[in-house]
Amino acid sequence: MALLYELVWRLLHCLLQLQRAAAAWIRGRVWRRGGRLCRRAALRLPGALGFSTQKKTAKPRRVRWVADGKALEKLPLHVGLLVAEEEQQYTDIANLVVWCMAVGISYVSVYDNEGVFRRNNSRLMEEIMKQQQELLGSESCKYSLEFLNNGTDPHALLCQTVVKVLSPDDGKLRIVQAAQQLCKAVEKKERTSKDIDVTVLDSLLRESKNVPDPDLVLKFGPVDSTLGFLPWHIRLTEFISLPSHKDVSYEDFLSALRRYASCEQRVGK
């Protein structure tokens, strides 16, 4: 009888050990499966909440700027930058010139009523070259830039962007000088009064025949005036005003180009 009790006890003990082992195995499986589910849920939760978990590779700024220029319905060939503010910032103007280059604008004119940029022409050009390197980096070599001096024609086919710095002397004073030239020509009998017409005056006023009239002028500052900016050349020019050229952003610049692209020009009709 004692032997029977011992066998029963050993059997019960084995069953208890088997039950504990099975329970431990089941808990381990459930724990591991639960951990995987938690990890999956943690990965899926941002997406379910509307957040992207994929790493976005930012495109180079140059690629974005080129794409922005191509996406515009209408891109100006010649842009004027008219600064109607007391203080001039060379870096901000240089940024605007480089952005014009990047989106595909061929001609840029820089003007202020006091002629500050014209008197400090070399400083502005150095800043433009500096910002070209800084903003475009290794891609800057893909952009050719020419600074147009008075009385010289740009090599339009060889140069991607032409920059000209203007002052009030290029406006009303230039018209007066052209009129004086015509009067002297008549006085010397090199011309007659019948020879004087709009075409003749236009040819005298245009130092470079290769530079077209501005399609768009971005005016910076609170003054509601063109301040003598090329009065002969802006008959069909679209003017867009911005508060200031100081700390102007690329988004401000692109917004102005989009406004120009969406405007309807009736050309006097």
Side-chain angles (χ1 to χ4, degrees), residues 17-162:
Q17 293 297 326
L18 288 173
Q19 182 185 16
R20 287 177 177 176
W25 180 80
I26 292 172
R27 282 199 300 270
R29 292 277 299 185
V30 170
W31 178 261
R32 286 193 295 272
R33 182 179 178 83
R36 286 196 297 269
L37 290 173
C38 288
R39 286 193 294 272
R40 289 176 184 173
L43 291 174
R44 293 175 181 176
L45 182 59
L49 295 176
F51 299 102
S52 176
T53 57
Q54 294 180 347
K55 292 184 178 179
K56 294 182 179 180
T57 54
K59 293 182 179 180
R61 287 180 294 185
R62 185 192 73 86
V63 175
R64 176 199 167 188
W65 296 339
V66 171
D68 287 341
K70 291 181 178 179
L72 292 172
E73 190 174 323
K74 180 173 57 176
L75 186 68
L77 182 64
H78 183 178
V79 168
L81 305 176
L82 193 165
V83 179
E85 299 177 86
E86 293 183 359
E87 189 176 343
Q88 291 77 23
Q89 299 293 330
Y90 289 83
T91 300
D92 293 314
I93 290 297
N95 287 341
L96 286 162
V97 171
V98 174
W99 293 333
C100 285
M101 295 169 55
V103 299
I105 294 169
S106 300
Y107 301 91
V108 182
S109 295
V110 180
Y111 177 91
D112 70 282
N113 189 45
E114 301 297 327
V116 174
F117 289 126
R118 180 70 165 270
R119 290 194 299 273
N120 299 278
N121 184 58
S122 58
R123 178 183 172 185
L124 177 61
M125 298 311 170
E126 289 175 3
E127 190 65 32
I128 292 172
M129 298 296 289
K130 176 183 174 182
Q131 292 306 113
Q132 180 184 2
Q133 182 64 38
E134 183 172 328
L135 295 176
L136 300 176
S138 60
E139 304 290 333
S140 62
C141 61
K142 297 182 179 181
Y143 294 85
S144 56
L145 183 66
E146 182 173 335
F147 303 111
L148 180 61
N149 296 319
N150 294 332
T152 60
D153 285 339
H155 304 294
L157 296 178
L158 302 177
C159 182
Q160 186 166 355
T161 302
V162 175

